[in-house]
Amino acid sequence: MLPTPRLLMLVLLAVPLIAGAAFVPYLAWVAVIYLVVVGGVLVSDVLLSPRPDQIEVERLHESRLSLGTANLVTILVANTSARPLRFVVRDEYPVEMPVDVDLLPGEAGPFGLCELRYHLRPQRRGDYQFGDIVMRYDGVLGCHRRQVRFPTARPVQVYPNLLEARKYDLLIRRGQLRTIGLRSIRQLGQGGEFEHLRNYTTNDEYRRINWKATARRAQPIVAEIEAERSQHVIAVIDAGRLMAAPVADPSHPDDPGLTRLDYVVNTALMLSFVVLGKGDYAGMLTFAGQVENFIAPRKGKAQFHRLLDALYNVQPQLVEADLPAALTYLDQHQQRRALIVIFTDLSNPAAAQPLISHLRRLSRRHLPLCVTISDPNITGVAGHPVQDSQALFRRLVAEQLADERRMILDQIQRSGALTLDVPATALTVSVVNTYLRLKEEARL
């Protein structure tokens, strides 16, 4: 129990009485009576105020927090007493996660409920721990303050961004995918299941004409076929040292940002969610110095949770990634043609040569897509006007690095693979749109 400023002020009012007792003796008795009255007020404040056992506190949040986004945490405070409750709450959230509000003031009426909210923004995936919830509340007469600790400690896991997957699911139900930059396709292709009949156009192939329907209607009719829903898509994730570099987020300039690997994991998870939603098979391979984990392509919700559990705690390793070994392993274990989405970083032309030779062999059976994250420090400097010799030097170096990167990407394309080099903030949309476009063009 802690004294409040009001109680201290009431006690200090007795000081003049005690000092005056040196000149007027009976003021000492007045001071004693006054202090007894103040003590009675304090006791009444303690007895009238809600007891700690009359307060219930509960923390509500998603069982899996999402990386790099604002996760809502709700604290419910229930007052089961007949007196009002004014308080301040501090939640012992994981210290590694920044929050928007640290102290949460609130008020719960007699037999009332108060709902408090704040947001966590996890910056790393993995296992974390919530602590207890600490509350301070004043007495109804404002003479004392109590601090109570409620045992609410529990573990929590930070997963790749699940909120984006839920947002995609909601938007696809509403037909509003274009609001987040995603394509909306009808999945009409060269082979698969029958979709519907329509009139022939000059751009249609003759082999798609339905002759029975043409005979009945006395005009050319073609059969529209729904694209096959059994393609395999495998995300190959580089977890080597180059993927540990942080990427600054322009929307949050005060924090170091997510790492390249964090952006890749979020994108791979979102891609798998879209792939499984289209009825295709999704798989995954992670590697660093060697192959760490391989999940063969499957379909269904169970596969999504399987991929999620495998991805949520993938951490970068401070070793050189062996991408040729990973592609060799994949080529041996994936016999059926698949879209191989390779998330990696291209450091220099010499290191990219083994990758190019393996991609040339891989493209004979599969469709490789090499995805890299462009460096904003290079793209932001190359081509910009300069004001002094130091800025000119930085620009020349940036343009040289950009030319080397374009040369590597051109060599990868000539090997038979597709390439995608985009900023980290546009990675998810670009990769998903590329998959949808390839599916629409029946190239899988």
Side-chain angles (χ1 to χ4, degrees), residues 14-32:
V15 173
L17 297 177
I18 296 174
F23 304 99
V24 183
Y26 75 87
L27 289 181
W29 292 102
V30 175
V32 170

Side-chain angles (χ1 to χ4, degrees), residues 37 104 146 182 234 244 272 284 287 323 325 356 367 376 378 381:
V37 173
L104 303 171
R146 280 190 174 181
L182 290 178
I234 302 176
S272 300
M284 178 210 67
F287 71 97
L323 183 53
I356 294 172
L367 178 59
I378 296 177
V381 176

Side-chain angles (χ1 to χ4, degrees), residues 206-217 219-221:
Y206 290 113
R207 63 188 181 90
R208 296 176 60 185
I209 296 178
N210 187 309
W211 297 107
K212 291 183 178 180
T214 298
R216 287 195 301 268
R217 301 188 184 182
Q219 60 178 339
I221 301 295

Side-chain angles (χ1 to χ4, degrees), residues 322-338:
D322 193 350
L323 183 53
L327 296 182
T328 301
Y329 178 93
L330 183 62
D331 196 26
Q332 294 172 351
H333 290 78
Q334 178 64 27
Q335 301 300 320
R336 179 167 176 173
R337 176 177 171 81

Side-chain angles (χ1 to χ4, degrees), residues 39 54 141 179 297 378 426:
Q54 294 178 313
L141 300 180
T179 61
I378 296 177

